[in-house]
Amino acid sequence: MSATRSLRLASRPTGRVRPENFEIREEPLPEPGDGEFRVKLEYVSLDPAMRGWLSAARSYVPPVEIGEVMRAFSCGTVEASNNPDFPVGQAVAGRFGVRHHAISDGTGVLKVDTNLAPLPRWVGGLGMPGWTAYFGLLEVGRPKEGETVVVSAASGAVGSLVGQIAKLKGCRVVGIAGGPRKCAYVTDELGFDACVDYKTGSLADDLRTACPDGIDVYFENVGGEILDIVLDQMNDFGRIPFCGMISAMNATEPQPGPYNFRKILTSRLTVRGFIVFDFADRIPEALDALGRWHGEGRLKMREDIREGGLEAFADTLNELYSGGNNGKLVLAL
Amino acid sequence: MSATRSLRLASRPTGRVRPENFEIREEPLPEPGDGEFRVKLEYVSLDPAMRGWLSAARSYVPPVEIGEVMRAFSCGTVEASNNPDFPVGQAVAGRFGVRHHAISDGTGVLKVDTNLAPLPRWVGGLGMPGWTAYFGLLEVGRPKEGETVVVSAASGAVGSLVGQIAKLKGCRVVGIAGGPRKCAYVTDELGFDACVDYKTGSLADDLRTACPDGIDVYFENVGGEILDIVLDQMNDFGRIPFCGMISAMNATEPQPGPYNFRKILTSRLTVRGFIVFDFADRIPEALDALGRWHGEGRLKMREDIREGGLEAFADTLNELYSGGNNGKLVLAL
């Protein structure tokens, strides 16, 4: 084999991503230089933030440029190496992009142990989504024992861990998810105290029933109407780690902020945006805790692995915004 | 004299407050009981928060009930006393309400020294608005030397002090105010580095010029479009002490939150609501600092004292929401 393939941005999407926004390019197989190694990638992580990376608007990271390989966390195995720290056969995860092979000098690359957890989990619950849950909940949300924590997108990669970590910290934990199957997963498998279905049309009432003492921490993944309903039920001095806004990711018109914005004032809430990269130097701490809890069977993780390779990237990514996934969405190469 | 008068809520306003929402009641002059004293009130503080106190909606304090005396900070002089701590002739400030005389046992009442500052200033820059500026800026905004601080309603009771305190802390300070006269006051009298006029239609550009290094702290008094424009120019890890939302106080329809709400996430901002009562046990600290700076001539304070007594309450209050005041708005009785 002397060729490889990569997925590159061909045009900026308007609204939902379409397959024609990407081009699959056939390329010569790259050879590692001094101190470098080549990874054969096996799984690509699909994350809600990806839609933002495709917009030209200034954000916390520069946009993916036209012609560039689509940015992604992915994982695989070293298959050629001039770097003794990363020998052939070593499993690794990192920001390798959506491609079949990548060259790296090891910067920012995580060596992973597939005896502790299967490979795709290292771009899931033990990867960026896991670190996001860990720091967002504990450092930004700062839940105290006995408080009520609500998390939206509760069956998703980040939400499922936020709730489980909050349970480990002695909180009452209520998820918000779409449909009875996801809600059952959140309570029966993940052990949340309750999960309310935002699709029933009675979210406000259902949430109030599930949170009789109000809400102290709301881990925000979705925005839109759900945020407004939650804001209304926040307790004084509540905290809102603001992690994502799935509802607005594909919007083509400006979306208004919450109508209950003033509740931030009257209830003296703290809304704080964060991204996991702000905690980059503390990732070993997150990995240590997540790995330990996972090893003890106290953190359940589930991947939703899709086939179809590079060609399926756009359609698979869109499932994140319509809630079509069940667990951490991963594309197999 | 054996009669007095009070202003009581007659009906809840819809939109702007109208005189007919209040009733002026003639009452017997109350006599102080054991441990109590009677204050002859001379000045009533008019504060933006008052409109919120008149709404039935749950907020940080219970609403003023129909038939109740309108809640207000006011100040005056003790004229009859059975309390040795508050002798006749003592000047005092407190939450006495909109009335000519009040009975108190001293709880929550501040003894003030009219040699240090004229009486109405003790419900202004040395009263609640001053404490609000002090804690909101220093405890919530946490500006660092060299950072850029922006404050809206910059010529107002709170804003004027926020900016001056930020200057004392070594920040670049930019005000937002309505009209050239207020802007000139803010720069020429109060010493802000710049003040931009939100009425010109070029606020975004003017603000960008005035804040070449972006905005680190935005002390939020107004909400609405101004908040959206400021959000767009906030630096990463900026802080927004959320003190008020004048623009929405008289709204009869739900008002959307900022369209740039997602900027909180992408720039990892912290938006934190606060009210001065949360810092009640630290008011001596604020008074000490404000009094010292004021005594040294480093904090300028200005009152806009209106005549007309109780009858003028509603119309005078409305000026706060249209920007008709110049300095701390106070009603003389």
Side-chain angles (χ1 to χ4, degrees), chain A residues 119-131:
Chain A
L119 186 56
R121 189 154 294 174
W122 294 97
V123 292
L126 296 173
M128 187 179 72
W131 315 333

Side-chain angles (χ1 to χ4, degrees), chain A residues 242 257-258 265 268-269 271 273 278, chain B residues 242 257-258 265 268-269 271 273 278:
Chain A
F242 184 5
L265 167 57
R268 290 90 94 199
L269 307 178
V271 180
D278 297 333
Chain B
F242 184 5
L265 167 57
R268 290 89 96 200
L269 307 179
V271 180
D278 297 334

Side-chain angles (χ1 to χ4, degrees), chain A residues 24 31 43 53 57 70 85 110 128 140 142 168 174 182 195 206 208 213 222 239 243 256 268 296 304 312 320-321 330:
Chain A
I24 294 170
E31 293 300 330
Y43 299 98
W53 300 342
M70 177 61 196
D85 287 342
L110 196 70
M128 187 179 72
V140 185
R142 296 185 172 271
L168 289 172
V174 175
K182 286 186 177 175
C195 188
D206 296 347
R208 211 173 287 277
D213 300 324
V222 298
R239 283 86 64 204
C243 177
R268 290 90 94 199
E296 294 166 357
D304 182 348
L320 282 177
Y321 308 110
V330 173

Side-chain angles (χ1 to χ4, degrees), chain A residues 132 135-136 140 219 241-243 272-276 278-279, chain B residues 265 268:
Chain A
T132 302
F135 292 113
V140 185
F219 194 101
F242 184 5
C243 177
R272 183 177 150 199
F274 75 98
I275 60 169
V276 70
D278 297 333
F279 299 93
Chain B
L265 167 57
R268 290 89 96 200

Side-chain angles (χ1 to χ4, degrees), chain B residues 3 48 62 66 71 80 82 98 142 157-158 171 202 312 332:
Chain B
I66 304 290
R71 180 184 297 144
N82 298 318
V98 185
R142 297 184 172 273
V158 174
C171 298
S202 57

Side-chain angles (χ1 to χ4, degrees), chain A residues 59-60 227 237 242-244 249 254-259 261-262 264-266 268-275 278, chain B residues 59-60 227 237 242-244 249 254-259 261-262 264-266 268-275 278:
Chain A
S59 188
Y60 55 91
L227 173 57
F237 308 109
F242 184 5
C243 177
M249 291 300 269
Q255 299 292 301
Y259 285 80
F261 188 76
R262 191 162 176 274
I264 299 170
L265 167 57
T266 57
R268 290 90 94 199
L269 307 178
T270 299
V271 180
R272 183 177 150 199
F274 75 98
I275 60 169
D278 297 333
Chain B
S59 187
Y60 57 91
L227 173 56
F237 308 109
F242 184 5
C243 178
M249 291 299 269
Q255 299 292 303
Y259 285 80
F261 188 78
R262 191 161 177 274
I264 299 170
L265 167 57
T266 55
R268 290 89 96 200
L269 307 179
T270 299
V271 180
R272 183 176 153 201
F274 74 99
I275 60 169
D278 297 334

